[in-house]
Amino acid sequence: MVKGSSSFFPTPAKILLLLLPKVLELLLTGEVRSQMPLPTPTNKEILLNNRPLAIAWTQWQQAGKTHIGISDTGFAQILGVDLLNTNDPTKQPIQWFNEPKTNPIVLPTKLNGGYRYLDVTNFTPPGWQFAVKNNTLVITSPTAKIQDIRLGKQTFGDRIVIDLDRPTSWQVNQQSAPPKPKTVINELVEIVKTQVAKQVWLITIDGSANPAIAKTFTDSPSQKIETTPTLAKIRLNLPVGISPRVSTLTNPHRLVIDIRPDGMVEKNILWADGLRWRQQYVSLNEDRFSVTWLELNPAKNLKMLPFWSEATTLVGTNPLIKTAERYNAVAAINSGFFNRKNQLPLGAIRRDGNWISSPILNRGAIAWNNGKIKIGRLSIQESVLTNTGQTLAIKTFNSGYVQKGVARYSSVWGANYSPLTDNETIVIVQNNAVTAQLPGGVAGKANFPIPTNGYLLVVRGDNVSIPIGSILRLQSATIPADFAAYPHILAAGPVLIQNRQIVLDAKAEGFSDAFLREKAIRSAICTTASGNVLIAAVHNRVGGAGSTLAEVAKVMQQLGCTEALNFDGGSSTSLYLGGQLINRSPSTAARVHNGLGIFMTQP
């Protein structure tokens, strides 16, 4: 044996190590997902005073010292820290039982993977300890004593002031809505008249209160306090549109809870180079809408990519947080419509030049390629030609939108196709040749494998027959034609703005009059004159309901949009940044099918 030959000829173990990254990529995402950035390992468990919390954290060595970082949005959530405005993405000022002007707290930041970590190594309130045990960051703090709870009236509403003997951590969460009561039909009208919609907010404080203080506070039916030796939980039952704005004061230490119709805190944070986080009230005549948005400069090492909830199939939904974290996105917004019942896409998705799901109903879409962006209505004409001269129009591709005619499904749909309607005909195509033609039977009862070297043609309601052995050729074209030049496309609709002008025409995109009039929370995307992209969540007007489509178009116009598109909204509206939703409590957000991810690229 030649000396050193064992390193020249790799062992099976070495070969496996060399191939493992690519194997994992293919297993996780499939060939068509190969351009999607893969997740990097991160620690996700923090134990705060023995309470487990799923918050990203990390540690690193710097100048011979171990540093600990906690994701900024997670840090704000678990400690009650207010992230203050900044134009320096490497430093984050915070407000937490301090006076920012005379006693500022500024934490260094570290951008890594999909998170911006705050370096908390030197964040040492008296008695606090940070320790790493296995893969868990353990945070312990002294239990604060609630010395008094004072109630008062302000011009905007009620104020609750909690006197503390020391700074302490606190969290605010909006609870998911309880199930609607089951009532007989003749009681329904009366209930609607007499029952005011409520939402429950829970404020958890690492502190103890004596029973006398707790009893005074719970005299009101709209607010209750639950106490343990280490925790106080304040439960607020508030009308929809009213929310708590919580802040801290020092000398003496106080937690201030303002119950008000404009509970959002305005923000202007340069989160990373080219990525700014904004929260602001936008006025339309007599109304003020709370708007949270991210503004990104595509020229600053940022990349936009479509993604969907499941790695190996188009069937399924997930919370946007879960999908964004799996793909290691720094930011994301929900995008296209989908069928909530069968969890199937209802609109165009294209990535890296591959159609994932086809457009429907000539609805609005956004397409992009290396900083060039187009917003407009989109259709596609696809057909299959046989070697006998037969031409069949393909109505949809990998879509949950069911029509009479022929639909096509590829392996991107998943390993199998289950009929969406009764009595479909399943035509199996492999290597461009028809190999079988099978009855679909009853909807949802059978599974038909989708060949990786071909596709299925599904015939619904038409007397179409394609003989076994036929050789097929696909052809397609987008309308307008220039959409075909864009490798990435997401559709929803309707189009809101083109060339700075509102061009809303919901009927032209197949939307109903009721949808046009509906007032709801909205998601939207737009471009600005500077070439930046805004992804926005437009929430309720102060003291009232959400926006109509016409109102959200005007809001986006006020934000400086030159081209704008409406995305799926309502409970789907989710805006993600660095591990958390920044526009709403996760418990109030619905699972969604697909979204737009923002990824950091190497400079």
Side-chain angles (χ1 to χ4, degrees):
M1 179 179 289
V2 179
K3 187 177 180 180
S5 60
S6 61
S7 61
F8 183 80
F9 295 102
T11 65
K14 289 182 178 178
I15 292 173
L16 180 60
L17 287 174
L18 290 171
L19 294 178
L20 185 58
K22 185 63 180 177
V23 171
L24 287 174
E25 179 179 339
L26 293 174
L27 286 174
L28 176 66
T29 62
E31 183 179 355
V32 76
R33 298 166 175 80
S34 61
Q35 299 302 313
M36 181 65 72
L38 289 175
T40 54
T42 186
N43 300 307
K44 287 300 300 290
E45 184 171 334
I46 291 179
L47 206 61
L48 174 62
N49 294 326
N50 292 318
R51 302 196 310 278
L53 301 166
I55 301 294
W57 67 276
T58 190
Q59 56 183 338
W60 66 91
Q61 294 294 317
Q62 184 175 322
K65 183 179 180 181
T66 299
H67 286 246
I68 294 176
I70 301 175
S71 68
D72 58 348
T73 52
F75 190 65
Q77 178 186 346
I78 64 174
L79 262 69
V81 166
D82 186 16
L83 304 177
L84 302 179
N85 296 343
T86 180
N87 284 313
D88 184 351
T90 67
K91 298 177 181 178
Q92 180 57 61
I94 67 172
Q95 201 275 323
W96 189 75
F97 296 101
N98 67 300
E99 175 49 59
K101 292 183 179 180
T102 60
N103 183 28
I105 302 175
V106 181
L107 301 179
T109 70
K110 182 180 180 65
L111 193 64
N112 185 33
Y115 307 96
R116 187 179 78 145
Y117 296 100
L118 301 184
D119 187 343
V120 298
T121 308
N122 296 321
F123 180 78
T124 54
W128 284 59
Q129 293 183 346
F130 293 77
V132 176
K133 294 183 179 179
N134 298 321
N135 293 321
T136 300
L137 176 61
V138 180
I139 304 175
T140 54
S141 67
T143 301
K145 182 180 179 181
I146 297 176
Q147 298 174 320
D148 196 9
I149 300 178
R150 294 175 282 128
L151 308 179
K153 293 286 186 181
Q154 302 292 322
T155 56
F156 52 76
D158 294 335
R159 169 171 285 179
I160 303 168
V161 179
I162 300 174
D163 295 328
L164 301 164
D165 69 334
R166 64 174 65 237
T168 191
S169 56
W170 51 273
Q171 304 91 41
V172 179
N173 289 289
Q174 185 180 350
Q175 304 296 287
S176 56
K180 295 180 180 180
K182 295 181 179 180
T183 60
V184 295
I185 190 66
N186 59 1
E187 296 176 329
L188 183 58
V189 174
E190 192 61 29
I191 288 176
V192 171
K193 288 181 179 179
T194 59
Q195 192 175 45
V196 178
K198 296 283 187 177
Q199 55 189 358
V200 177
W201 294 84
L202 183 65
I203 302 171
T204 303
I205 305 167
D206 280 277
S208 61
N210 66 51
I213 293 176
K215 185 177 185 304
T216 301
F217 183 74
T218 55
D219 283 345
S220 169
S222 64
Q223 54 200 29
K224 296 184 182 299
I225 185 170
E226 305 165 8
T227 61
T228 71
T230 58
L231 279 182
K233 294 183 179 181
I234 296 175
R235 197 175 301 273
L236 302 173
N237 193 21
L238 303 176
V240 171
I242 305 296
S243 59
R245 180 190 290 186
V246 186
S247 58
T248 60
L249 295 173
T250 188
N251 295 326
H253 303 302
R254 285 155 288 165
L255 197 66
V256 179
I257 306 170
D258 289 332
I259 312 299
R260 53 193 304 159
D262 55 346
M264 183 186 73
V265 177
E266 295 192 330
K267 292 185 183 297
N268 188 346
I269 295 173
L270 186 60
W271 194 84
D273 187 22
L275 181 58
R276 186 175 291 274
W277 171 11
R278 296 291 308 275
Q279 293 183 179
Q280 183 179 314
Y281 287 96
V282 176
S283 296
L284 294 181
N285 299 322
E286 301 297 322
D287 294 316
R288 295 169 63 225
F289 292 88
S290 62
V291 186
T292 301
W293 75 93
L294 298 174
E295 182 171 3
L296 58 129
N297 182 349
K300 293 288 189 177
N301 303 317
L302 294 168
K303 184 175 183 178
M304 303 190 305
L305 284 174
F307 57 42
W308 49 96
S309 60
E310 298 296 335
T312 59
T313 177
L314 283 183
V315 182
T317 59
N318 265 318
L320 185 71
I321 288 179
K322 182 176 180 180
T323 305
E325 287 192 324
R326 188 177 74 233
Y327 289 120
N328 210 27
V330 296
I333 191 170
N334 69 292
S335 55
F337 297 105
F338 59 98
N339 185 308
R340 291 194 183 278
K341 183 177 180 180
N342 56 27
Q343 303 179 358
L344 301 177
L346 296 173
I349 306 173
R350 193 182 198 206
R351 191 172 63 209
D352 299 319
N354 298 293
W355 284 107
I356 308 303
S357 185
S358 64
I360 64 170
L361 299 169
N362 195 37
R363 286 185 171 171
I366 180 169
W368 64 97
N369 183 22
N370 295 326
K372 185 179 179 182
I373 298 174
K374 176 182 176 66
I375 290 178
R377 299 186 184 102
L378 170 64
S379 296
I380 192 169
Q381 287 184 343
E382 185 178 47
S383 58
V384 59
L385 284 69
T386 73
N387 58 332
T388 61
Q390 185 181 17
T391 301
L392 298 174
I394 305 296
K395 298 285 187 173
T396 58
F397 171 65
N398 286 347
S399 178
Y401 184 64
V402 175
Q403 291 178 284
K404 179 181 178 181
V406 181
R408 187 166 71 92
Y409 296 88
S410 75
S411 57
V412 176
W413 180 263
N416 299 287
Y417 169 79
S418 182
L420 300 179
T421 60
D422 293 342
N423 302 318
E424 297 177 348
T425 299
I426 313 298
V427 180
I428 301 174
V429 181
Q430 294 178 280
N431 297 319
N432 300 318
V434 176
T435 59
Q437 191 166 220
L438 305 169
V442 178
K445 293 297 184 182
N447 284 318
F448 295 87
I450 302 177
T452 56
N453 60 346
Y455 50 86
L456 300 182
L457 294 177
V458 176
V459 182
R460 302 183 180 115
D462 271 356
N463 186 20
V464 175
S465 179
I466 308 175
I468 295 175
S470 298
I471 304 301
L472 307 184
R473 179 168 61 90
L474 290 169
Q475 62 180 20
S476 66
T478 61
I479 303 172
D482 58 345
F483 265 105
Y486 294 86
H488 309 298
I489 297 175
L490 277 169
V495 175
L496 301 173
I497 299 171
Q498 288 185 314
N499 195 26
R500 296 182 171 85
Q501 302 301 311
I502 294 176
V503 294
L504 175 64
D505 189 348
K507 285 187 177 181
E509 300 184 27
F511 294 104
S512 67
D513 290 337
F515 182 77
L516 181 62
R517 295 190 302 267
E518 182 184 15
K519 295 180 179 180
I521 299 170
R522 306 284 180 181
S523 297
I525 186 169
C526 83
T527 58
T528 68
S530 64
N532 287 354
V533 175
L534 271 58
I535 52 176
V538 181
H539 279 257
N540 291 349
R541 72 196 76 211
V542 173
S547 65
T548 63
L549 287 170
E551 288 172 330
V552 77
K554 292 176 182 178
V555 167
M556 299 304 286
Q557 198 176 45
Q558 285 209 27
L559 295 183
C561 298
T562 58
E563 314 279 325
L565 174 70
N566 181 66
F567 277 160
D568 186 18
S571 61
S572 294
T573 292
S574 302
L575 187 58
Y576 169 94
L577 179 66
Q580 302 293 323
L581 294 188
I582 58 173
N583 69 305
R584 70 193 308 165
S585 174
S587 64
T588 69
R591 299 163 69 94
V592 298
H593 182 276
N594 57 77
L596 174 68
I598 311 300
F599 300 88
M600 303 297 296
T601 61
Q602 294 299 321

